[in-house]
């Protein structure tokens, strides 16, 4: 049962739309942006576009683009929320029925619907690159929130969001490292304690560990640089002998 997914399919008449198989499933060589020959030139073109916009905007006033930026963010935020909810209603029943390790590692956990959701999420990542286009047109630094916060701007929610993201990556890393360990132990070191092998490839496992570890280090570095700055010099009273303070000095 997937009430939300079924509701969306029926209300939006998505079931009647016959999409090519390679758009709803990952088929290397056929799915859009599924090969390095597509991905790397796209990323190079993206960088060229961004730096070209920055050069073009150098002597021009910044565009506001508030409405378009909000529409863009609303689309991505609402789409991401729907994806998470659809994924949860696909995963949670199997998790309850079979347990954590089965839900994490069993081949049957990878359903056709779940693959479709991941495909949508994958395409969302390319749409998210438009964020940087907006920043370039608005003449903001490409890491606007970082520079704004480091420069003293009070974006009150950023500290809590960063803390949440660090916690999220720690949990993700624990799960991914655990699954990777169990896979290697079961296949190469069976004498070590393990819960069995895990679906997926060794390349994907190693890449996932490295990628998530780099994310965690970057967010920790950002948190320390932004929110754990050394305290400024302390001001002390410079009073006369009679005890009346007549000014301040720093030590």
């Amino acid at each position: 049962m997937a009430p939300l997914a079924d509701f969306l399919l029926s209300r939006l008449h998505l079931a009647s739309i016959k999409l090519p198989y390679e758009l709803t499933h990952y088929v290397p060589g056929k799915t859009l942006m599924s090969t390095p020959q597509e991905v790397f030139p796209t990323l190079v073109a993206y960088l060229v576009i961004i730096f070209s916009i920055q050069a073009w905007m150098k002597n021009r006033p910044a565009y506001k683009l508030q409405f378009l930026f909000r529409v863009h963010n609303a689309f991505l935020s609402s789409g991401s929320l729907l994806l998470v909810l659809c994924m949860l209603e696909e995963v949670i029943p199997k998790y309850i029925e079979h347990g954590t390790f089965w839900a994490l590692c069993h081949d049957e956990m990878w359903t056709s619907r779940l693959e479709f959701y991941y495909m949508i999420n994958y395409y969302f990542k390319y749409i998210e690159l438009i964020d940087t286009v907006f920043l370039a047109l608005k003449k903001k630094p490409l890491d606007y929130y970082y520079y704004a916060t480091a420069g003293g701007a009070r974006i009150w929610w950023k500290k809590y969001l960063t803390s949440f993201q660090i916690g999220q990556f720690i949990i993700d890393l624990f799960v991914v490292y655990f699954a990777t360990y169990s896979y290697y132990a079961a296949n190469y070191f069976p004498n070590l304690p393990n819960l069995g092998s895990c679906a997926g490839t060794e390349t994907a496992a190693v890449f996932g560990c490295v990628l998530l570890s780099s994310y965690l280090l970057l967010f920790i570095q950002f948190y320390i640089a932004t929110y754990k700055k050394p305290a400024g010099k302390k001001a002390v009273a410079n009073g006369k002998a009679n005890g009346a303070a007549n000014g301040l000095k720093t030590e």
Side-chain angles (χ1 to χ4, degrees), residues 158-207:
K158 186 63 177 175
K159 180 178 180 179
Y160 301 102
L161 177 61
T162 304
S163 300
F164 172 79
Q165 289 170 318
I166 290 174
Q168 173 192 342
F169 284 126
I170 291 174
I171 295 172
D172 289 346
L173 278 172
F174 175 80
V175 172
V176 171
Y177 282 165
F178 170 74
T180 302
Y181 162 79
S182 189
Y183 170 87
Y184 277 99
N187 288 280
Y188 298 104
F189 308 99
N191 292 328
L192 292 176
N194 66 84
L195 295 181
S197 189
C198 200
T201 65
E202 295 179 4
T203 302
V206 173
F207 183 82

Side-chain angles (χ1 to χ4, degrees), residues 47-172:
L47 292 174
V48 170
I49 290 171
I50 294 302
F51 288 117
S52 297
I53 292 175
Q54 284 187 316
W56 182 70
M57 290 294 298
K58 185 175 182 180
N59 297 316
R60 289 177 169 82
Y63 290 97
K64 299 297 183 182
L65 304 175
Q66 295 287 48
F67 175 75
L68 290 176
F69 191 58
R70 288 172 181 170
V71 170
H72 169 73
N73 282 332
F75 169 75
L76 289 176
S77 298
S78 58
S80 297
L81 177 61
L82 282 175
L83 271 180
V84 168
L85 294 176
C86 287
M87 287 180 179
L88 287 176
E89 72 174 6
E90 187 75 10
V91 169
I92 289 177
K94 297 180 183 298
Y95 167 78
I96 294 174
E97 181 179 358
H98 299 287
T100 302
F101 190 75
W102 191 98
L104 182 64
C105 286
H106 201 278
D107 284 325
E108 293 182 16
M109 189 64 225
W110 188 247
T111 64
S112 179
R113 275 191 173 181
L114 200 57
E115 184 174 5
F116 178 50
Y117 299 152
Y118 272 99
M119 290 301 302
I120 296 175
N121 185 63
Y122 176 65
Y123 294 133
F124 267 17
K125 298 308 171 186
Y126 287 95
I127 298 175
E128 287 173 6
L129 294 177
I130 299 175
D131 285 348
T132 324
V133 175
F134 278 111
L135 290 178
L137 290 172
K138 295 168 75 173
K139 301 185 74 170
K140 301 288 188 183
L142 298 189
D143 199 346
Y144 169 65
Y145 292 122
Y146 173 82
Y147 287 110
T149 307
R154 296 295 182 182
I155 305 175
W156 64 269
W157 48 265
K158 186 63 177 175
K159 180 178 180 179
Y160 301 102
L161 177 61
T162 304
S163 300
F164 172 79
Q165 289 170 318
I166 290 174
Q168 173 192 342
F169 284 126
I170 291 174
I171 295 172
D172 289 346

